[in-house]
Amino acid sequence: MFERDDKKRLYWLMDNYLSDEITAKTFCDEFYYCYDLELDSELLTKLEEHVFSELGTVTGRFSEFEEDIKQYPGTYFTEKQLRQKVLETQKKLKAESSI
């Protein structure tokens, strides 16, 4: 495990979420603590900054409650949308590292 001020923690969180080792709620909470509160954004590449910012929008508006999704369409993200965004983020980051 990595400290909350280490960008490697973001990668670790994505891996753990996608392998179902942590819940969507835990992923979103821990992503927030790391990305929004602890991490020095100057440690990120431009791509990391961009994709993590987009992912932060989704994690910040994730709701595990179906009632929220139905009552406020377009406001909250579902777990399916969250998972898709994490996969998309990982794919973009892996593409950069293979260049």
Side-chain angles (χ1 to χ4, degrees):
M1 176 163 4
F2 300 96
E3 297 296 319
R4 287 184 172 159
D5 63 351
D6 187 340
K7 75 177 182 177
K8 293 176 191 168
R9 184 175 179 86
L10 298 173
Y11 290 85
W12 178 83
L13 286 169
M14 289 189 299
D15 289 341
N16 278 268
Y17 171 62
L18 293 174
S19 64
D20 295 321
E21 293 178 39
I22 59 175
T23 66
K25 173 99 171 79
T26 298
F27 172 78
C28 291
D29 289 346
E30 289 298 319
F31 185 90
Y32 170 73
Y33 298 138
C34 180
Y35 180 73
D36 291 312
L37 299 180
E38 298 285 336
L39 187 66
D40 179 357
S41 63
E42 291 185 15
L43 299 174
L44 301 174
T45 66
K46 288 204 179 285
L47 178 64
E48 287 172 331
E49 199 172 330
H50 176 73
V51 297
F52 288 142
S53 175
E54 288 183 345
L55 181 55
T57 298
V58 176
T59 62
R61 293 186 6 206
F62 165 73
S63 179
E64 60 190 318
F65 303 108
E66 190 64 35
E67 308 85 58
D68 290 344
I69 307 298
K70 288 179 182 175
Q71 190 170 0
Y72 305 103
T75 301
Y76 295 104
F77 290 97
T78 65
E79 184 164 358
K80 181 179 179 181
Q81 291 169 310
L82 172 65
R83 185 168 292 271
Q84 183 58 41
K85 190 63 173 179
V86 173
L87 287 166
E88 175 187 311
T89 301
Q90 251 190 358
K91 183 178 179 180
K92 288 178 180 178
L93 292 168
K94 285 181 182 178
E96 178 188 52
S97 68
S98 66
I99 294 175

